[in-house]
Amino acid sequence: MNVIIKENYQELSTYTANLIAKFIRSKPGCVLGLATGSTPIGTYKELVRMHKEEGLDFSQVKTFNLDEYLGVGIDLNKPYHLDQSYARFMYEELFKHINIKKENIYFLNGLTNDPEAHCRWYEEQIKKAGGIDLQLLGIGRDGHWAFNEPGSSLASRTRVQALTKQTLDDNYESFYKKAGIDRDEMPHFALTMGIGTILEAKNIVMIANGIKKAEVVAASLEGPVTNQITASAIQLHSGDITVVLDKEAASKLKNVGYYRHVENLKLKYNLL
Ligand code: GLP
């Protein structure tokens, strides 16, 4: 596991975008797993800049998003109404600015009539695409990955999940409130890739910033593996893991000295 600690959010975003861009350049037809939330916004901005200014090419890239609120969603082929779906978020923050093909974008559809069948379909599409090459993840304040709330099985698959009060509060503050939507109108359920699904991604990049995430970052990287902090499943992943943090999010880690030492060694030997 590489733990990279950056001075601030901007540096974290640039570093993460560079890492993803490098990956796309080495495998133009790669399959990316993408995340929502406020944390990846800077990374997406930087990827858009690289597309516009440096010709970063998304024409063969496929994407699968981690999760979606149940009850909202958009059809990218039709004009969409303003909603707080993750599909809309992705379209606004990334997809409408780059040359990705619509047919290569996969979302869990929050408007599905049959969530269970839809979740099975999603898993099949991931398999058909050859699996996720690189999965980008944030972390919720209750330690969740995607919408895998405390208590989720670490072997869980894509499914419906009820959201915790903490998650509802956080996501209301970050998104719904700004859009003038009433707290009670916010969806209380979501569709989410499971922890088992996420762990099958070949490479994992987790990002976190700010003091609010410090405790849960330390618990997930250095504490016991537990279904109470589903991001702690990162310790079970067998592929390449990179965790990119700002100084505040890293402030409760015990082994910072070692992480910095490893980063310097890898830089010296050109291994990063
Ligand atoms: C939501 C998403 C997660 C995300 C988390 C953190 O709950 N489902 O995938 O990691 O929010 O969000 P933020 O980046 O806004 O802190």
Side-chain angles (χ1 to χ4, degrees):
M1 179 166 69
N2 299 311
V3 181
I4 311 288
I5 302 164
K6 293 289 165 198
E7 276 303 301
N8 53 44
Y9 178 68
Q10 182 52 47
E11 283 187 22
L12 171 162
S13 303
T14 309
Y15 185 92
T16 309
N18 273 320
L19 202 148
I20 296 172
K22 195 169 158 193
F23 197 86
I24 295 173
R25 288 188 181 112
S26 71
K27 190 176 180 189
C30 63
V31 181
L32 300 179
L34 296 180
T36 49
S38 38
T39 317
I41 290 177
T43 302
Y44 294 152
K45 270 207 174 77
E46 184 58 16
L47 285 173
V48 169
R49 191 200 62 74
M50 285 189 218
H51 167 68
K52 291 195 168 145
E53 293 174 16
E54 296 164 16
L56 181 63
D57 181 18
F58 291 83
S59 63
Q60 296 176 62
V61 171
K62 277 193 181 150
T63 63
F64 285 87
N65 257 81
L66 279 170
D67 48 10
E68 181 60 279
Y69 293 107
L70 199 57
V72 295
I74 56 163
D75 179 344
L76 289 183
N77 294 306
K78 292 183 191 153
Y80 59 94
H81 61 281
L82 206 63
D83 64 36
Q84 289 301 302
S85 70
Y86 279 166
R88 184 203 58 80
F89 172 96
M90 289 306 302
Y91 188 64
E92 290 294 334
E93 299 297 335
L94 183 65
F95 296 145
K96 79 172 184 190
H97 308 288
I98 59 173
N99 65 333
I100 192 164
K101 294 193 179 111
K102 278 184 187 166
E103 62 269 27
N104 285 344
I105 299 171
Y106 290 83
F107 285 118
L108 281 158
N109 180 2
L111 299 173
T112 176
N113 297 322
D114 187 345
E116 269 181 38
H118 182 63
C119 290
R120 279 198 302 276
W121 170 86
Y122 203 63
E123 292 260 350
E124 278 160 24
Q125 299 315 302
I126 295 174
K127 278 208 186 91
K128 257 197 189 163
I132 291 171
D133 291 309
L134 186 151
Q135 177 66 59
L136 178 65
L137 291 155
I139 181 171
R141 265 212 293 165
D142 62 8
H144 67 222
W145 264 355
F147 272 133
N148 290 282
E149 298 288 38
S152 298
S153 157
L154 300 183
S156 53
R157 309 303 304 186
T158 305
R159 68 193 188 289
V160 176
Q161 171 76 54
L163 304 178
T164 61
K165 187 176 175 304
Q166 164 109 73
T167 298
L168 290 170
D169 287 347
D170 287 350
N171 292 356
Y172 177 71
E173 280 301 318
S174 305
F175 297 102
Y176 282 81
K177 194 173 171 183
K178 287 181 192 153
I181 296 172
D182 207 73
R183 172 74 164 73
D184 293 339
E185 283 175 35
M186 199 183 157
H188 285 49
F189 290 88
L191 300 168
T192 182
M193 274 190 208
I195 295 294
T197 321
I198 295 170
L199 287 177
E200 283 169 10
K202 290 159 202 132
N203 300 276
I204 282 186
V205 177
M206 182 170 114
I207 53 178
N209 71 297
I211 197 70
K212 279 187 190 166
K213 299 285 174 69
E215 217 153 282
V216 92
V217 163
S220 58
L221 302 190
E222 296 177 340
V225 175
T226 165
N227 70 352
Q228 297 306 300
I229 296 176
T230 56
S232 66
I234 198 166
Q235 299 175 40
L236 302 173
H237 189 254
S238 57
D240 253 22
I241 308 171
T242 307
V243 182
V244 192
L245 307 169
D246 73 348
K247 274 201 328 207
E248 289 186 349
S251 61
K252 298 237 158 88
L253 288 169
K254 287 193 212 98
N255 298 322
V256 169
Y258 178 64
Y259 303 140
R260 289 202 189 275
H261 172 64
V262 173
E263 187 186 351
N264 288 335
L265 277 179
K266 288 195 171 170
L267 280 174
K268 186 169 166 194
Y269 293 103
N270 221 3
L271 295 171
L272 271 180

XYZ file of all heavy atoms in Angstrom, residues 112-176:
522
model
N -34.648 2.432 -11.481
C -35.035 1.062 -11.844
C -36.307 0.600 -11.105
O -36.529 0.972 -9.954
C -33.886 0.083 -11.530
O -34.321 -1.237 -11.815
C -33.461 0.143 -10.071
N -37.102 -0.249 -11.794
C -38.299 -0.810 -11.144
C -37.961 -2.090 -10.393
O -38.740 -2.557 -9.575
C -39.341 -1.216 -12.200
C -39.806 -0.014 -12.955
O -39.968 1.042 -12.350
N -39.987 -0.151 -14.259
N -36.828 -2.661 -10.755
C -36.467 -3.950 -10.174
C -35.001 -3.882 -9.703
O -34.086 -4.336 -10.395
C -36.655 -5.042 -11.246
C -36.464 -6.433 -10.669
O -35.918 -6.550 -9.538
O -36.852 -7.403 -11.348
N -34.780 -3.282 -8.530
C -33.408 -3.057 -8.067
C -32.547 -4.325 -8.035
O -31.390 -4.290 -8.437
C -33.586 -2.485 -6.661
C -34.949 -1.891 -6.663
C -35.770 -2.722 -7.601
N -33.149 -5.430 -7.578
C -32.325 -6.652 -7.457
C -31.808 -7.133 -8.797
O -30.625 -7.435 -8.955
C -33.131 -7.763 -6.798
C -32.946 -7.737 -5.306
C -33.707 -8.839 -4.618
O -33.766 -9.952 -5.174
O -34.236 -8.560 -3.532
N -32.718 -7.183 -9.785
C -32.317 -7.623 -11.125
C -31.325 -6.626 -11.714
O -30.347 -7.003 -12.373
C -33.541 -7.750 -12.026
N -31.557 -5.350 -11.442
C -30.673 -4.312 -11.983
C -29.253 -4.454 -11.401
O -28.261 -4.312 -12.117
C -31.255 -2.936 -11.659
C -30.443 -1.818 -12.210
N -30.253 -1.633 -13.573
C -29.715 -0.853 -11.602
C -29.469 -0.586 -13.768
N -29.121 -0.101 -12.581
N -29.173 -4.748 -10.109
C -27.848 -4.913 -9.470
C -27.118 -6.122 -10.062
O -25.911 -6.074 -10.278
C -28.004 -5.062 -7.960
S -28.526 -3.535 -7.168
N -27.879 -7.181 -10.333
C -27.248 -8.361 -10.957
C -26.735 -8.006 -12.351
O -25.633 -8.384 -12.745
C -28.253 -9.527 -11.048
C -28.407 -10.300 -9.743
C -29.040 -11.664 -9.990
N -30.342 -11.569 -10.621
C -31.502 -11.365 -9.974
N -31.507 -11.246 -8.657
N -32.651 -11.307 -10.619
N -27.554 -7.243 -13.081
C -27.161 -6.802 -14.428
C -25.858 -5.993 -14.368
O -24.955 -6.175 -15.182
C -28.300 -5.949 -15.029
C -27.919 -5.261 -16.298
C -27.975 -5.775 -17.560
C -27.405 -3.926 -16.439
N -27.529 -4.847 -18.475
C -27.179 -3.706 -17.819
C -27.120 -2.889 -15.533
C -26.669 -2.491 -18.315
C -26.613 -1.694 -16.033
C -26.393 -1.511 -17.395
N -25.760 -5.114 -13.360
C -24.574 -4.256 -13.237
C -23.315 -5.094 -13.025
O -22.287 -4.876 -13.656
C -24.786 -3.292 -12.066
C -23.949 -2.025 -12.152
C -24.123 -1.129 -13.194
C -22.996 -1.723 -11.171
C -23.383 0.042 -13.265
C -22.254 -0.555 -11.233
C -22.451 0.330 -12.282
O -21.710 1.482 -12.346
N -23.448 -6.073 -12.146
C -22.304 -6.968 -11.881
C -21.892 -7.688 -13.168
O -20.709 -7.853 -13.446
C -22.682 -7.997 -10.810
C -22.892 -7.398 -9.432
C -21.688 -7.565 -8.504
O -20.761 -8.304 -8.848
O -21.700 -6.933 -7.435
N -22.903 -8.106 -13.941
C -22.593 -8.805 -15.204
C -21.866 -7.887 -16.175
O -20.946 -8.318 -16.871
C -23.886 -9.296 -15.878
C -24.394 -10.613 -15.310
C -25.869 -10.817 -15.637
O -26.347 -10.236 -16.630
O -26.536 -11.542 -14.872
N -22.291 -6.618 -16.224
C -21.640 -5.677 -17.147
C -20.170 -5.464 -16.750
O -19.298 -5.353 -17.599
C -22.356 -4.308 -17.180
C -23.788 -4.368 -17.637
C -23.976 -5.248 -18.868
O -23.364 -5.017 -19.908
N -24.815 -6.260 -18.742
N -19.914 -5.410 -15.462
C -18.527 -5.239 -15.000
C -17.696 -6.442 -15.461
O -16.600 -6.290 -16.001
C -18.462 -5.072 -13.456
C -19.160 -3.786 -13.023
C -17.009 -5.076 -12.969
C -19.289 -3.595 -11.514
N -18.256 -7.631 -15.285
C -17.549 -8.850 -15.708
C -17.303 -8.838 -17.203
O -16.211 -9.133 -17.673
C -18.375 -10.087 -15.348
C -18.183 -10.487 -13.929
C -18.395 -11.996 -13.709
C -18.333 -12.285 -12.227
N -19.647 -12.220 -11.579
N -18.357 -8.492 -17.959
C -18.267 -8.463 -19.427
C -17.171 -7.513 -19.899
O -16.515 -7.754 -20.910
C -19.602 -7.971 -20.004
C -20.480 -9.036 -20.564
C -21.499 -8.315 -21.436
C -22.595 -9.176 -21.915
N -23.723 -8.339 -22.389
N -17.012 -6.416 -19.158
C -16.001 -5.411 -19.540
C -14.596 -5.893 -19.160
O -13.607 -5.216 -19.438
C -16.316 -4.085 -18.858
N -14.516 -7.033 -18.493
C -13.212 -7.568 -18.099
C -12.799 -7.166 -16.690
O -11.649 -7.334 -16.294
N -13.741 -6.610 -15.926
C -13.443 -6.194 -14.548
C -12.911 -4.761 -14.529
O -12.535 -4.208 -15.561
N -12.907 -4.191 -13.338
C -12.438 -2.799 -13.189
C -10.923 -2.781 -13.026
O -10.368 -3.491 -12.194
C -13.182 -2.136 -12.009
C -14.648 -1.948 -12.401
C -12.527 -0.812 -11.620
C -15.571 -1.512 -11.308
N -10.263 -1.988 -13.871
C -8.794 -1.914 -13.806
C -8.342 -1.009 -12.668
O -7.391 -1.317 -11.964
C -8.240 -1.351 -15.128
C -8.433 -2.321 -16.276
O -8.055 -3.498 -16.115
O -8.969 -1.918 -17.326
N -9.014 0.125 -12.555
C -8.611 1.068 -11.508
C -9.867 1.655 -10.870
O -10.711 2.213 -11.561
C -7.767 2.189 -12.117
C -7.141 3.191 -11.145
C -5.847 3.731 -11.729
C -8.064 4.359 -10.859
N -9.996 1.479 -9.570
C -11.173 1.977 -8.849
C -10.782 3.179 -7.993
O -9.920 3.076 -7.125
C -11.751 0.877 -7.951
C -12.927 1.318 -7.108
C -14.162 1.662 -7.933
O -14.664 0.820 -8.670
N -14.650 2.890 -7.829
N -11.409 4.314 -8.260
C -11.223 5.506 -7.433
C -12.263 5.492 -6.319
O -13.448 5.261 -6.578
C -11.402 6.758 -8.306
C -11.283 8.105 -7.601
C -9.864 8.338 -7.067
C -11.669 9.249 -8.538
N -11.827 5.770 -5.097
C -12.739 5.741 -3.945
C -12.515 6.938 -3.036
O -11.364 7.342 -2.811
C -12.467 4.492 -3.101
C -12.834 3.142 -3.694
C -11.980 2.060 -3.074
C -14.320 2.856 -3.488
N -13.598 7.459 -2.502
C -13.494 8.387 -1.377
C -13.765 7.574 -0.118
O -13.744 6.341 -0.129
N -14.046 8.271 0.959
C -14.441 7.574 2.196
C -15.461 8.453 2.919
O -15.275 9.673 3.020
C -13.197 7.251 3.077
C -13.600 6.501 4.358
C -12.388 8.501 3.393
C -12.413 5.970 5.163
N -16.530 7.825 3.366
C -17.538 8.581 4.111
C -17.069 8.791 5.544
O -16.153 8.122 6.019
N -17.728 9.713 6.246
C -17.285 9.981 7.622
C -17.543 8.814 8.562
O -16.946 8.711 9.633
C -17.969 11.242 8.136
C -17.054 12.442 7.913
C -17.227 13.459 8.970
N -18.547 14.056 8.903
C -19.057 14.761 9.874
N -18.390 14.903 11.013
N -20.245 15.303 9.750
N -18.474 7.930 8.177
C -18.676 6.726 8.988
C -17.830 5.569 8.455
O -18.034 4.418 8.809
C -20.166 6.351 9.092
C -20.792 6.022 7.740
O -20.051 5.942 6.736
O -22.024 5.835 7.689
N -16.875 5.895 7.594
C -15.924 4.884 7.120
C -16.416 4.081 5.934
O -15.817 3.070 5.584
N -17.491 4.545 5.293
C -18.000 3.730 4.189
C -17.251 3.951 2.877
O -16.737 5.023 2.610
C -19.513 3.927 3.989
C -19.929 5.289 3.509
N -21.022 5.940 4.026
C -19.445 6.101 2.563
C -21.176 7.088 3.405
N -20.225 7.220 2.512
N -17.220 2.895 2.092
C -16.838 2.936 0.687
C -18.127 2.860 -0.105
O -18.974 1.999 0.192
C -15.999 1.718 0.323
C -14.525 1.909 0.367
C -13.829 3.064 0.595
C -13.542 0.878 0.149
N -12.472 2.813 0.535
C -12.281 1.491 0.256
C -13.611 -0.483 -0.125
C -11.095 0.783 0.094
C -12.433 -1.194 -0.281
C -11.181 -0.567 -0.172
N -18.243 3.715 -1.127
C -19.487 3.804 -1.913
C -20.608 4.079 -0.916
O -20.538 5.054 -0.164
C -19.706 2.553 -2.742
N -21.619 3.206 -0.836
C -22.644 3.372 0.211
C -22.678 2.135 1.096
O -23.736 1.739 1.588
C -24.007 3.652 -0.415
C -24.277 5.109 -0.674
C -24.794 5.537 -1.891
C -24.036 6.069 0.306
C -25.068 6.879 -2.128
C -24.303 7.420 0.082
C -24.815 7.817 -1.141
N -21.540 1.509 1.299
C -21.472 0.335 2.184
C -21.368 0.821 3.620
O -20.276 1.034 4.155
C -20.286 -0.545 1.796
C -20.509 -1.224 0.472
O -21.237 -2.214 0.381
N -19.929 -0.657 -0.584
N -22.527 0.990 4.220
C -22.598 1.549 5.567
C -22.110 0.536 6.604
O -22.003 -0.659 6.302
C -24.055 1.942 5.863
C -24.610 3.016 4.931
C -24.036 4.414 5.167
O -22.836 4.548 5.463
O -24.798 5.383 5.025
N -21.792 1.017 7.830
C -21.333 0.097 8.871
C -22.271 -1.104 8.998
O -23.488 -0.941 8.990
C -21.364 0.959 10.141
C -21.174 2.350 9.633
C -21.852 2.403 8.293
N -21.674 -2.277 9.095
C -22.477 -3.499 9.194
C -22.573 -4.237 7.871
O -22.991 -5.392 7.839
N -22.168 -3.592 6.775
C -22.197 -4.272 5.473
C -21.184 -5.408 5.484
O -20.079 -5.260 6.012
C -21.791 -3.311 4.353
O -22.671 -2.240 4.245
N -21.563 -6.502 4.860
C -20.616 -7.613 4.781
C -19.416 -7.212 3.935
O -19.559 -6.511 2.930
C -21.311 -8.816 4.127
O -20.335 -9.684 3.573
N -18.252 -7.665 4.341
C -17.047 -7.346 3.565
C -16.990 -8.173 2.281
O -16.108 -7.991 1.468
C -15.791 -7.538 4.419
C -15.733 -6.658 5.679
C -14.410 -6.861 6.421
C -15.930 -5.178 5.367
N -17.941 -9.103 2.133
C -18.033 -9.885 0.891
C -19.247 -9.438 0.064
O -19.606 -10.092 -0.905
C -18.152 -11.366 1.233
N -19.876 -8.330 0.460
C -21.141 -7.933 -0.174
C -20.988 -7.617 -1.656
O -19.911 -7.238 -2.120
C -21.726 -6.716 0.555
O -20.764 -5.684 0.627
N -22.107 -7.807 -2.377
C -22.156 -7.506 -3.816
C -23.054 -6.283 -4.022
O -23.623 -5.744 -3.071
C -22.707 -8.711 -4.602
C -22.058 -10.040 -4.334
C -20.578 -10.073 -4.564
N -20.158 -9.673 -5.895
C -18.898 -9.752 -6.333
N -17.934 -10.229 -5.534
N -18.586 -9.352 -7.544
N -23.228 -5.907 -5.270
C -24.059 -4.744 -5.605
C -25.501 -4.979 -5.153
O -26.074 -6.032 -5.405
C -24.005 -4.507 -7.128
O -22.635 -4.379 -7.504
C -24.762 -3.256 -7.517
N -26.071 -3.995 -4.465
C -27.380 -4.202 -3.820
C -27.981 -2.881 -3.350
O -27.356 -1.837 -3.474
C -27.209 -5.119 -2.591
C -26.417 -4.413 -1.522
C -25.935 -5.324 -0.432
N -25.342 -4.560 0.655
C -24.180 -3.926 0.576
N -23.474 -3.920 -0.532
N -23.719 -3.244 1.613
N -29.166 -2.987 -2.741
C -29.804 -1.814 -2.131
C -29.297 -1.671 -0.701
O -29.146 -2.667 0.011
C -31.344 -1.978 -2.105
C -32.000 -0.818 -1.377
C -31.889 -2.104 -3.529
N -29.051 -0.436 -0.281
C -28.534 -0.199 1.069
C -29.269 1.001 1.682
O -29.413 2.039 1.030
C -27.030 0.099 0.958
C -26.354 0.565 2.214
C -26.106 -0.570 3.202
O -25.512 -1.572 2.869
N -26.570 -0.388 4.427
N -29.700 0.851 2.931
C -30.286 2.000 3.647
C -29.149 2.874 4.158
O -28.119 2.369 4.606
C -31.121 1.490 4.817
N -29.327 4.187 4.083
C -28.244 5.099 4.477
C -28.331 5.456 5.959
O -29.434 5.531 6.521
C -28.312 6.369 3.624
C -28.258 6.104 2.117
C -28.381 7.399 1.322
C -26.963 5.382 1.735
N -27.179 5.701 6.579
C -27.163 6.095 7.989
C -27.501 7.582 8.113
O -27.381 8.342 7.149
C -25.776 5.887 8.630
O -24.837 6.691 7.926
C -25.342 4.436 8.587
N -27.845 7.979 9.339
C -28.182 9.381 9.584
C -26.965 10.268 9.270
O -27.088 11.325 8.672
C -28.630 9.558 11.038
C -29.158 10.936 11.308
C -29.689 11.094 12.704
C -30.102 12.538 12.967
N -29.031 13.514 12.739
N -25.799 9.784 9.675
C -24.559 10.554 9.418
C -24.355 10.812 7.917
O -24.059 11.922 7.493
C -23.366 9.764 9.963
C -22.016 10.229 9.456
C -21.195 10.927 10.500
O -20.683 10.287 11.412
N -21.082 12.225 10.386
N -24.541 9.768 7.111
C -24.371 9.909 5.658
C -25.410 10.861 5.088
O -25.094 11.729 4.261
C -24.475 8.523 4.984
O -23.422 7.710 5.492
C -24.376 8.610 3.471
N -26.654 10.714 5.554
C -27.713 11.607 5.063
C -27.370 13.046 5.427
O -27.465 13.952 4.591
C -29.063 11.205 5.665
C -29.645 9.885 5.146
C -30.846 9.460 5.979
C -30.052 9.998 3.677
N -26.932 13.261 6.678
C -26.592 14.625 7.110
C -25.456 15.194 6.263
O -25.533 16.312 5.769
C -26.142 14.629 8.590
C -27.328 14.412 9.528
O -28.484 14.516 9.055
O -27.090 14.117 10.707
N -24.387 14.412 6.091
C -23.223 14.901 5.346
C -23.574 15.212 3.900
O -23.203 16.252 3.361
C -22.099 13.848 5.359
C -21.436 13.766 6.721
O -21.712 14.643 7.562
O -20.653 12.829 6.939
N -24.287 14.280 3.260
C -24.592 14.480 1.845
C -25.658 15.559 1.648
O -25.667 16.239 0.623
C -24.983 13.160 1.177
C -23.782 12.214 1.112
O -22.680 12.575 1.500
N -23.995 11.010 0.623
N -26.499 15.745 2.660
C -27.463 16.849 2.591
C -26.699 18.178 2.597
O -26.928 19.038 1.746
C -28.439 16.780 3.770
C -29.401 17.935 3.767
C -30.406 18.003 2.798
C -29.293 18.971 4.692
C -31.268 19.088 2.754
C -30.154 20.055 4.651
C -31.139 20.099 3.690
O -31.982 21.177 3.638
N -25.767 18.307 3.543
C -24.989 19.553 3.653
C -24.202 19.825 2.377
O -24.168 20.940 1.875
C -23.995 19.461 4.835
C -24.600 19.704 6.190
C -25.264 21.081 6.316
O -24.685 22.072 5.831
O -26.366 21.154 6.892
N -23.538 18.778 1.824
C -22.663 18.995 0.673
C -23.430 19.236 -0.622
O -22.943 19.941 -1.487
C -21.751 17.789 0.438
O -21.029 17.492 1.586
N -24.584 18.614 -0.778
C -25.241 18.681 -2.092
C -26.702 19.130 -2.059
O -27.073 20.074 -2.735
C -25.129 17.326 -2.809
C -23.698 16.966 -3.101
C -23.014 16.048 -2.323
C -23.019 17.586 -4.139
C -21.683 15.739 -2.574
C -21.692 17.298 -4.404
C -21.019 16.366 -3.628
N -27.539 18.442 -1.290
C -28.987 18.692 -1.387
C -29.379 20.088 -0.903
O -30.196 20.756 -1.513
C -29.766 17.611 -0.621
C -29.860 16.325 -1.415
C -28.806 15.430 -1.439
C -30.996 16.022 -2.151
C -28.872 14.269 -2.191
C -31.087 14.865 -2.899
C -30.022 13.995 -2.913
O -30.089 12.848 -3.666
